[in-house]
Amino acid sequence: MADYGVTPEGWEAKRLADILDETGAELAEIVDPKTGNRLNPDFNSDDPAMQIVKVPLNQAAEGWEASQLAYNQFNPLLAVGPAVDGLLTLTGISRLPSTPTILSVEMTGTAGATVLAGQTISDVFDSNLFTIDQTVTFDVLGVATATATATTNGPIIVTNGTITKIKTPQPNWDSVTNVSTIVTGVNEETDTQAEVRRRRSNAAPSAAPSDSVQANLANLEGVTFARVKINNTLTTDANGIPAKQQACIVLGGNDTEIAKTILQRSGCTAEFFGDIEVILFDAQGEPNPVRFSRPTQITMTVDVDITVVNSAIYPTDGDQQIKDNIVLYSLEGADAFGITDGFDQNGFPPGTDVVVSRLYTPVNQVPGHRINSITVNSSTTQIPIAFNEVAIFDSSNITVTVS
């Protein structure tokens, strides 16, 4: 059985050190037929002959590395890039694209005047550009509302009241300001995120009720999180779920589609627990009440104490960047900053305790300071979040103190 290549334990690549050792041993066996002398190969020497021999050996090692990468593409846990897309296609799904952030804006101007769609607005630094989505006409009070979409995809955390600059001035249009964020954009789905969703999709036809319900809920359009818990005991469990009932916690998605999925994928005798009820009628006209819950939002109050150690590189808006980074991390985790943190979920999804030390990662993305302390809801360690709750981070509840 070969020691390298495909082995019973998987792929074993031959490293450059292995190649040099084998080649050195083979060269040492060469005997001069006239003198009987043997070679004494030393690839670390300055001997030009040894350096010439080493050139193709380096290329052979690169070939082994390329073979390793090719082999890995057949392993869903190791595949990257196009190979992941191919595995998704086999499952009948595709990689989720990036999307832009969408704001609700309020505009003022001359009553009866019109502002055409496509006009550009931004913050005072021109760091975030948005275009007005609709053609609007100012009412008798000179006010109009519209939505504005970011010109670039991806998550943009925008504080209300900061998009106030009109980049493309129009007659009779005086001012604009953002009043709320309708949708926070997302980056293109990473390889890791896509693989998690592929496995979840494969679980959709599962025979286990909770796995099947959860997987099919997670596959619904607009659903960003789903959790299913079943209490099979005869008493109310520690989560407050009554005996013999199923609790579904869903973030995003349409209420009716969620209820249909729960009913279709649950057992015929299932009873449902939750604070949202949807009545579905079967083919015989019989009503079927389906209950589920949206996660209860738990506000996180964050206090960050820092000391600026290099004012030359600490940004002028560093305090706001720290706030925005914390909010972004809560939604997408370290992936949002191109960092692999080893956690099995992104950010703080529903039912995930808030571990305060994890917030050091987003805060440290801003240069020129050191962290003195971070507290969340007066805790420096961990805030417990129940299975049907979700931690909510908003920049208005984050304080950055420079001491």
Side-chain angles (χ1 to χ4, degrees):
M1 185 67 69
D3 293 329
Y4 300 102
V6 180
T7 72
E9 290 75 33
W11 179 265
E12 185 65 35
K14 188 178 289 187
R15 302 171 302 157
L16 176 59
D18 300 323
I19 295 173
L20 294 178
D21 288 344
E22 289 183 357
T23 305
E26 293 175 2
L27 289 175
E29 294 297 319
I30 298 176
V31 180
D32 188 322
K34 292 184 178 181
T35 64
N37 293 332
R38 293 178 180 273
L39 290 176
N40 183 25
D42 181 4
F43 292 111
N44 294 319
S45 71
D46 295 330
D47 184 350
M50 287 293 96
Q51 299 305 312
I52 291 172
V53 172
K54 192 174 180 179
V55 170
L57 300 182
N58 287 328
Q59 295 173 345
E62 292 176 359
W64 276 98
E65 292 177 2
S67 298
Q68 173 83 68
L69 292 174
Y71 180 85
N72 287 346
Q73 301 315 298
F74 294 94
N75 183 339
L77 299 179
L78 299 176
V80 296
V84 174
D85 293 326
L87 291 168
L88 293 175
T89 301
L90 291 175
T91 311
I93 60 178
S94 59
R95 191 186 298 266
L96 297 178
S98 60
T99 60
T101 295
I102 301 175
L103 307 177
S104 174
V105 299
E106 185 175 283
M107 306 155 63
T108 64
T110 303
T114 297
V115 175
L116 298 177
Q119 307 310 311
T120 305
I121 58 178
S122 71
D123 55 24
V124 294
F125 302 105
D126 291 341
S127 55
N128 297 311
L129 301 179
F130 293 80
T131 56
I132 303 298
D133 297 325
Q134 307 91 11
T135 295
V136 296
T137 300
F138 295 112
D139 62 19
V140 293
L141 298 177
V143 177
T145 58
T147 60
T149 300
T151 57
T152 58
N153 288 356
I156 299 176
I157 307 302
V158 182
T159 302
N160 293 342
T162 59
I163 305 299
T164 57
K165 185 176 181 179
I166 301 175
K167 294 282 292 179
T168 52
Q170 301 291 300
N172 303 313
W173 180 15
D174 299 330
S175 69
V176 65
T177 187
N178 59 307
V179 295
S180 66
T181 298
I182 299 175
V183 176
T184 299
V186 297
N187 292 317
E188 182 181 67
E189 191 173 36
T190 65
D191 290 343
T192 300
Q193 293 168 340
E195 168 54 20
V196 170
R197 196 162 57 87
R198 186 195 67 81
R199 283 185 275 130
R200 187 175 66 199
S201 180
N202 286 343
S206 172
S210 60
D211 291 343
S212 178
V213 174
Q214 189 274 338
N216 282 276
L217 285 174
N219 282 339
L220 288 176
E221 182 179 356
V223 171
T224 57
F225 181 87
R227 174 181 284 117
V228 178
K229 287 187 174 291
I230 298 177
N231 178 9
N232 289 317
T233 71
L234 297 177
T235 59
T236 299
D237 66 13
N239 291 315
I241 303 173
K244 298 298 181 180
Q245 291 196 22
Q246 171 182 285
C248 298
I249 311 301
V250 188
L251 191 60
N254 176 270
D255 285 359
T256 301
E257 293 304 315
I258 291 170
K260 287 180 180 178
T261 300
I262 293 173
L263 185 61
Q264 291 168 355
R265 292 292 172 175
S266 301
C268 61
T269 59
E271 293 190 43
F272 308 111
F273 173 72
D275 53 17
I276 297 175
E277 183 177 82
V278 178
I279 306 296
L280 300 176
F281 292 88
D282 58 25
Q284 303 174 81
E286 294 295 329
N288 294 274
V290 179
R291 302 181 69 85
F292 65 94
S293 297
R294 302 293 190 179
T296 301
Q297 297 186 354
I298 307 299
T299 299
M300 297 291 109
T301 301
V302 184
D303 292 291
V304 182
D305 187 287
I306 65 171
T307 297
V308 175
V309 295
N310 189 339
S311 58
I313 62 173
Y314 186 74
T316 56
D317 63 338
D319 296 6
Q320 187 61 48
Q321 286 191 32
I322 288 175
K323 295 179 181 181
D324 293 345
N325 283 359
I326 291 174
V327 175
L328 183 57
Y329 183 88
S330 73
L331 299 172
E332 296 198 9
D335 278 354
F337 308 102
I339 301 171
T340 301
D341 60 10
F343 289 95
D344 59 359
Q345 79 281 317
N346 293 317
F348 299 110
T352 302
D353 291 347
V354 175
V355 180
V356 177
S357 61
R358 289 182 62 185
L359 296 182
Y360 279 70
T361 296
V363 174
N364 280 326
Q365 300 312 301
V366 179
H369 72 85
R370 71 166 180 263
I371 300 173
N372 299 320
S373 66
I374 299 178
T375 61
V376 180
N377 290 7
S378 301
S379 172
T380 58
T381 55
Q382 185 167 317
I383 295 86
I385 301 295
F387 84 101
N388 58 350
E389 297 176 340
V390 60
I392 297 296
F393 291 78
D394 187 275
S395 60
S396 63
N397 295 317
I398 301 174
T399 302
V400 178
T401 302
V402 180
S403 60

